[in-house]
Amino acid sequence: MLTKSNTANPSTVLGRQLGDELRRLREAAGLTTVQAAEALDCTKGKISRIENGRVAVRLPDLTAMLHAYQVSDAELRDRLAALARKANRRRRQGWWNQYSSVLADTYRDYIALETMAESIRTFQAQLVPGLLQTPEYIRAVTVASRQWQTADEIEKFVQVRIARQERLSGDSPLRLWAVLSEAVLLQQVGGPQVMKAQLQHLLDVSERPNVTVQVMPFSRGAHASMFGPYVVLGFPEEGALDVVLADNPTGSMWLEREAEVARYRDLFDAARTSALSPVESRAVIHRRAKEHRP
């Protein structure tokens, strides 16, 4: 997962928030995207990308847009300028950018959104979610992927994944709800000793109030989520839409349209309802951990 993307990169939450406000102001001014583009002497596509949050908004462009939309409220202008500066800093200054040599663009985009997310709901068919992986498990997955060749590259990737896990602690920890296929508990990633430690880590971390782990047992048979892993990210900003990252045979796919996101929310709700309860899941994980004998 997160190796490549077959769709456009996702917009950032702050970028989407700014874009939504600019779209509302344009519509209030009675302008189409074509008319707004003419007023700014740019393309219609640029207006659309700004409103979708897919490109940074330079302050001169923001000033020109607000002038074209006849926005005279000084407080509103200052607030939008501050939002634009904050969104642009988020794009440039994330800690993950120092690892650009070993991270695909899709993965960096994902980390950027993860740092701003309030909640994550995920279904995983083969692997423990990255936020719950032990260093040894991470290393085994990284080596098996064959995307990173040198020991230095592998260790940098391991460091990135461990750094991501800090989102599960602190003053405002991320809420993580993971539904795992029972196959995740049986896959011999790194060998029996690594798996035993990994499953024990799952038991330990699932005791945190912000982490829920459920197991989808083989006995449930076919279910709608079995065709591939996905992640649904939720954000704290008022009116912010969820974002989905889903895997398919040709790579990772970002989804932001409300109808598509709603489909994955329904998928996850069905998965968590069909899966074992958290208490029953802990019992299964404990039993599987005992089966992995070093």
Side-chain angles (χ1 to χ4, degrees), residues 173-185:
L174 180 73
R175 297 199 311 272
L176 174 64
W177 195 330
V179 177
L180 314 179
S181 166
E182 191 172 0
V184 173
L185 312 183

Side-chain angles (χ1 to χ4, degrees), residues 12-80:
T12 68
V13 175
L14 295 175
R16 283 195 297 165
Q17 184 179 348
L18 177 60
D20 286 343
E21 296 216 38
L22 290 173
R23 180 187 295 108
R24 177 179 58 81
L25 292 171
R26 174 180 60 77
E27 292 173 347
L31 297 178
T32 66
T33 54
V34 172
Q35 290 169 327
E38 290 175 351
L40 271 69
D41 192 24
C42 67
T43 65
K44 173 186 174 182
K46 180 175 180 178
I47 299 296
S48 296
R49 288 192 296 274
I50 287 175
E51 292 184 351
N52 289 329
R54 296 191 182 278
V55 296
V57 182
R58 298 168 53 248
L59 291 181
D61 288 339
L62 177 62
T63 300
M65 294 177 82
L66 296 179
H67 176 75
Y69 303 160
Q70 300 180 354
V71 178
S72 58
D73 185 328
E75 184 176 341
L76 175 58
R77 294 172 70 97
D78 289 345
R79 182 173 64 81
L80 293 180

Side-chain angles (χ1 to χ4, degrees), residues 1 102 154 176 186 195 211 220 291:
M1 193 172 194
V102 296
I154 291 169
L176 174 64
L186 298 175
M195 281 304 302
V211 177
R220 293 292 190 264
E291 295 172 357

